[in-house]
Amino acid sequence: EYELANRERVLLTTKVAPYATHGWPAFISLYQPAFESELDRLAKAEPTIDVMQGSTVTALAQDANGVEVTVEDGAGAASRVRGRWLIAADGGNSFVRGALGVPYEDLGFHQDWLVIDAKKTRGRAGLPPYRQFGDPDQPGMSLQMGPVHRRWSVMILPGESLDEVIEPKNFWRRLD
């Protein structure tokens, strides 16, 4: 369920189908640290996977038989790794995307937001899985992330400093 609200008034509620017409879930959210921890555990348990944490990819070359990646460890020592596939899951500032020449268009949307991730210690009735706050005085959103985590994102308003935003009284005011 998705809600658009202004203060305590719900302006729009939309039921989100479990699966869209393409066969995939119409709404997916997860708590990334839990996902990464599970992925790390599973990868390290596979004898055919080498996990190289703390390393940086500095070059890659692809041919008909696979991909060779040059990796630099934290001490600056370089090594090469070869595989049939390279999964480019290296984030927003992707080296792989740039190395492959995959275009990225910056649409110029630059705003600061305060992101609050929390773990549920007790239930609170009435929180929808996703609520967007259409309040011009304080735009934001709240999102359920997996079974016990929730994220709130609120826009840092013009003229506010980061130090002011993270003061406990201001932090809790926003979370309220």
Side-chain angles (χ1 to χ4, degrees):
E1 187 173 283
Y2 162 83
E3 290 183 356
L4 175 62
N6 184 331
R7 303 190 198 292
E8 296 300 316
R9 187 170 154 228
V10 176
L11 306 173
L12 170 76
T13 299
T14 302
K15 298 287 184 196
V16 179
Y19 292 96
T21 55
H22 49 60
W24 294 96
F27 176 80
I28 297 174
S29 73
L30 58 89
Y31 183 61
Q32 188 169 341
F35 173 75
E36 289 176 357
S37 177
E38 184 66 7
L39 185 61
D40 184 57
R41 185 186 69 75
L42 292 169
K44 286 177 177 173
E46 284 295 320
T48 58
I49 297 176
D50 292 324
V51 177
M52 303 172 73
Q53 292 171 318
S55 299
T56 302
V57 175
T58 58
L60 64 91
Q62 181 174 330
D63 59 34
N65 298 317
V67 181
E68 184 173 274
V69 178
T70 303
V71 179
E72 193 173 287
D73 67 17
S79 61
R80 291 196 172 104
V81 180
R82 185 157 182 84
R84 290 189 333 190
W85 300 94
L86 169 65
I87 299 172
D90 54 338
N93 296 318
S94 172
F95 170 84
V96 175
R97 182 182 58 240
L100 294 175
V102 176
Y104 174 78
E105 182 180 359
D106 181 350
L107 299 176
F109 182 75
H110 302 281
Q111 292 180 334
D112 292 325
W113 287 69
L114 173 65
V115 177
I116 304 164
D117 285 347
K119 183 175 182 180
K120 179 170 67 172
T121 58
R122 61 184 178 275
R124 180 172 174 192
L127 289 177
Y130 183 76
R131 177 179 276 179
Q132 195 161 2
F133 307 117
D135 181 351
D137 294 329
Q138 184 60 83
M141 55 80 64
S142 173
L143 169 70
Q144 183 69 35
M145 296 182 350
V148 296
H149 291 91
R150 188 161 199 92
R151 169 171 287 175
W152 288 265
S153 295
V154 291
M155 190 168 121
I156 297 175
L157 302 172
E160 287 185 297
S161 72
L162 181 58
D163 290 334
E164 179 182 0
V165 168
I166 62 173
E167 284 181 25
K169 67 178 182 177
N170 295 326
F171 172 90
W172 288 111
R173 176 183 54 81
R174 281 190 161 98
L175 198 54
D176 246 1

